[in-house]
Amino acid sequence: MSRLTLRIVIALAAISIVGITVTQIYWVRKAFDLKENQFNTEVNQALENVATQIFEVNKMAMPANGLVNQESSNYFTVLVNGPIDSNLLGFMLKNEFDKRNITADYQYGIYNCADQCMTGGNYISPTKNKIPTSLSELPSLKMDGYYFGVRFPQLEANLISQMGIWGFSSIVMVVVIFFFVYTLFVILKQRRLSEIQKDFINNMTHEFKTPLSTIAISTSVLKDPSIVQHPERLLNYATIIETESSRLKQQVERVLQMARLEKSDVGLKKENANLHQLIQEAVTNISMSLNNRQGSIDLKLNATDPIASVDKLHFTNVIYNLLDNAIKYTQTTPAITITSQNQNDQILISVTDNGIGIIPENQRKIFQRFYRVPTGNLHDVKGFGLGLNYVKLIVEAHKGKITVESSLGQGSTFTIVLPKESI
C-alpha cells in the first residue's frame, strides 16, 4: 500500500468515525427528547386528574384556565385554590403515577400562598423506598391561593435508564470505534515494522557483501603461485582475510544476540567483576578500529569500588558497542573519554565522544531496534541499528539504566547507571 493510499484510507476512516459518532449522538438526543416529551405529557395528565379529584373533594368549581404549569424540566406546579391534606395528596399522586407507569422518584410539597409556607409534603421513591430528602429544596412561587408542587430530582437519570436499546447501541458503537482505531494503529505499526525490516535487510546485505567481496579478491590473489615469492604481500592478504572474517563473525554474533534477546532469553551469568578490567578489555578489542582512525581513548576510571555483579561477556559488549558508535559517528579524529565514579550504591560509567552529535528528536529513538541516526545521503556509517538497542536491553537486564546527552556537532555522552548488586 502506497503512502498516498494509506493517507486517503486514514482520512476516510477518520471522516467515517466522526460521521457515525455525530449521527449516533444526534439520534440519542432525539430519542431522549422524545422520551422527555412523553414523560411530560404523562405527568401533566396525571396531575390534571389529581387536581380534578381535589376540586371534587373540596366541592369547588373547576377553573377554566389550565391547572398544571411546568416551571422547569423536572418541576410542576398545580393550583387548587383550597386546603389539601398531605396524605391524601400523596395517595392520589401515587395512584395516578402508577396508572401511567411513572417510576421516577418524586418530591411533592403543599404551599399556602397567603404566607408562602410549605404546609406538608413528602419524598416518594416508587422502586427504592428512599428516605425523604429535605423538603425545603422545593422552590416556593408567588401564586394566589393554595398550590402543590411536584419535582422529579433524578429525572434525567431515570429517562436514560429507560433508553436501553440506545444505550446498548452506543456501547456497541464505542467498542466498534475502539477496535477500528486499534486496527488502524496495528496497520500503521506493521507498516513501520515493514519499513524497518526492509532497511535492516538492506543494511545487512551491504554489511555482508563488502567483507565477502574483500575476502573473494584476497583469495583470488592468494591463488596466484607467484605470491609465495612475496611474503609481505602474502601476509598482508592473509591479514585482510582474517580481519574481514572476524568482522563477519561479529556481525553474525550481533544478530544472533538480538534474536536471543527478542525471546527474552538474555541468560545473564552474573558474577562479581572489576568493571575497570572489563572496560580495559573492551578498549583492547576496539583498538584496531581506533588505530585505523588514529584516534585516542582517555580513561578516567575514578570509581574507588569498581566491583559489581554483572555478566562479563555482555557488559564488555555493552562498552564495545558504545565505543564502536563513538568511532563510527565521528567525522574527525576520534577522541573518546571513559569515566567511572561511585554514587551511593551505584556505579556511573560515561562514554564521551567528539562525534557529530544527536538532535533531541533522534535521542528519543536511538535505543529502538533497527533505528539508525540519519546521515543524509551518505552511507559511510555501517551497521544494523542494533547496537544501542542491545546496550539498553543488557543494562536494563542488570537493573540499571542508560541515558544520553548530546548536541548537534558537539559530541555525545552515554551514561550507564549500574547497581553494584543487581537482583
Side-chain angles (χ1 to χ4, degrees):
M1 184 183 294
S2 66
R3 214 170 268 227
L4 178 61
T5 302
L6 186 61
R7 289 178 180 175
I8 293 175
V9 170
I10 293 175
L12 292 176
I15 293 173
S16 300
I17 290 174
V18 172
I20 293 173
T21 303
V22 170
T23 302
Q24 181 71 9
I25 293 174
Y26 171 79
W27 283 112
V28 168
R29 186 64 203 177
K30 291 288 288 184
F32 181 84
D33 291 341
L34 181 63
K35 201 76 177 176
E36 186 177 30
N37 291 334
Q38 181 181 358
F39 178 84
N40 291 338
T41 301
E42 295 289 342
V43 170
N44 270 279
Q45 292 177 355
L47 294 180
E48 285 183 1
N49 289 345
V50 170
T52 301
Q53 295 173 30
I54 292 174
F55 275 100
E56 291 177 355
V57 170
N58 291 336
K59 297 181 180 180
M60 297 176 61
M62 290 277 296
N65 56 336
L67 302 175
V68 181
N69 292 314
Q70 186 171 356
E71 308 297 341
S72 65
S73 61
N74 66 339
Y75 185 48
F76 300 80
T77 59
V78 182
L79 186 64
V80 291
N81 294 331
I84 315 169
D85 180 75
S86 177
N87 293 329
L88 178 60
L89 177 61
F91 172 79
M92 292 178 177
L93 288 173
K94 185 177 185 308
N95 187 43
E96 291 296 328
F97 287 165
D98 286 346
K99 289 180 180 178
R100 291 166 176 77
N101 199 27
I102 298 174
T103 58
D105 294 2
Y106 62 93
Q107 179 182 1
Y108 67 90
I110 302 171
Y111 292 89
N112 179 0
C113 296
D115 50 18
Q116 292 295 313
C117 290
M118 181 182 290
T119 61
N122 202 352
Y123 187 101
I124 306 297
S125 179
T127 58
K128 302 176 183 177
N129 296 321
K130 273 180 133 184
I131 302 298
T133 60
S134 173
L135 296 176
S136 62
E137 294 177 3
L138 278 176
S140 59
L141 305 174
K142 293 184 178 180
M143 301 174 65
D144 296 332
Y146 282 88
Y147 74 94
F148 68 88
V150 179
R151 189 181 65 160
F152 299 89
Q154 301 177 12
L155 176 59
E156 186 172 333
N158 180 266
L159 293 178
I160 292 176
S161 67
Q162 297 179 27
M163 298 172 58
I165 185 62
W166 288 103
F168 176 76
S169 64
S170 298
I171 293 174
V172 171
M173 186 196 71
V174 170
V175 172
V176 170
I177 291 176
F178 171 79
F179 279 105
F180 189 82
V181 172
Y182 177 75
T183 303
L184 197 60
F185 172 78
V186 171
I187 291 174
L188 293 174
K189 185 177 180 180
Q190 291 298 322
R191 177 180 173 82
R192 173 60 181 162
L193 289 176
S194 176
E195 293 176 349
I196 289 174
Q197 290 175 355
K198 182 179 178 181
D199 291 340
F200 169 72
I201 293 172
N202 291 337
N203 289 332
M204 185 174 64
T205 302
H206 177 74
E207 288 293 302
F208 287 171
K209 184 177 180 180
T210 301
L212 287 173
S213 299
T214 304
I215 292 173
I217 294 173
S218 300
T219 303
S220 64
V221 172
L222 292 177
K223 289 171 64 177
D224 185 357
S226 63
I227 193 69
V228 296
Q229 300 176 7
H230 304 278
E232 68 283 354
R233 290 187 62 196
L234 180 63
L235 178 61
N236 181 45
Y237 282 108
T239 303
I240 290 175
I241 292 175
E242 181 184 22
T243 302
E244 294 301 324
S245 298
S246 176
R247 178 180 166 191
L248 276 174
K249 181 180 178 181
Q250 290 177 357
Q251 299 291 13
V252 171
E253 181 62 26
R254 188 172 297 180
V255 174
L256 292 177
Q257 284 175 348
M258 296 309 300
R260 288 195 295 267
L261 290 173
E262 188 175 20
K263 297 178 181 178
S264 301
D265 184 21
V266 180
L268 295 181
K269 297 178 181 179
K270 294 183 183 179
E271 55 183 304
N272 288 335
N274 189 322
L275 299 189
H276 289 173
Q277 292 180 0
L278 299 182
I279 292 172
Q280 292 279 9
E281 184 178 338
V283 171
T284 301
N285 294 340
I286 203 73
S287 59
M288 181 178 294
S289 298
L290 189 66
N291 293 335
N292 291 337
R293 296 286 303 277
Q294 299 179 344
S296 63
I297 295 180
D298 184 15
L299 297 179
K300 297 181 179 179
L301 306 179
N302 301 320
T304 57
D305 184 10
I307 306 300
S309 177
V310 297
D311 183 300
K312 291 183 179 180
L313 176 62
H314 281 297
F315 184 80
T316 304
N317 287 339
V318 164
I319 301 300
Y320 180 90
N321 274 281
L322 293 178
L323 295 176
D324 186 46
N325 276 355
I327 296 172
K328 288 193 301 185
Y329 287 97
T330 300
Q331 295 176 342
T332 58
T333 301
I336 304 170
T337 302
I338 304 178
T339 62
S340 70
Q341 59 178 319
N342 291 110
Q343 187 178 82
N344 300 325
D345 293 330
Q346 298 174 325
I347 298 178
L348 276 64
I349 300 172
S350 298
V351 177
T352 303
D353 61 57
N354 61 333
I356 60 177
I358 310 169
I359 62 176
E361 179 183 354
N362 291 333
Q363 290 179 27
R364 297 190 294 267
K365 304 176 183 177
I366 57 175
F367 295 108
Q368 297 177 7
R369 185 170 302 175
F370 303 126
Y371 182 81
R372 301 178 68 207
V373 176
T375 56
N377 293 325
L378 299 177
H379 301 282
D380 53 342
V381 178
K382 300 175 175 61
F384 298 150
L386 297 175
L388 288 178
N389 180 253
Y390 168 80
V391 168
K392 180 174 183 291
L393 291 176
I394 294 300
V395 170
E396 290 180 348
H398 283 84
K399 307 300 180 184
K401 64 178 180 179
I402 182 170
T403 58
V404 59
E405 295 180 6
S406 182
S407 299
L408 193 62
Q410 302 297 320
S412 306
T413 298
F414 289 86
T415 301
I416 298 173
V417 181
L418 201 65
K420 287 179 62 61
E421 293 185 3
S422 52
I423 301 174

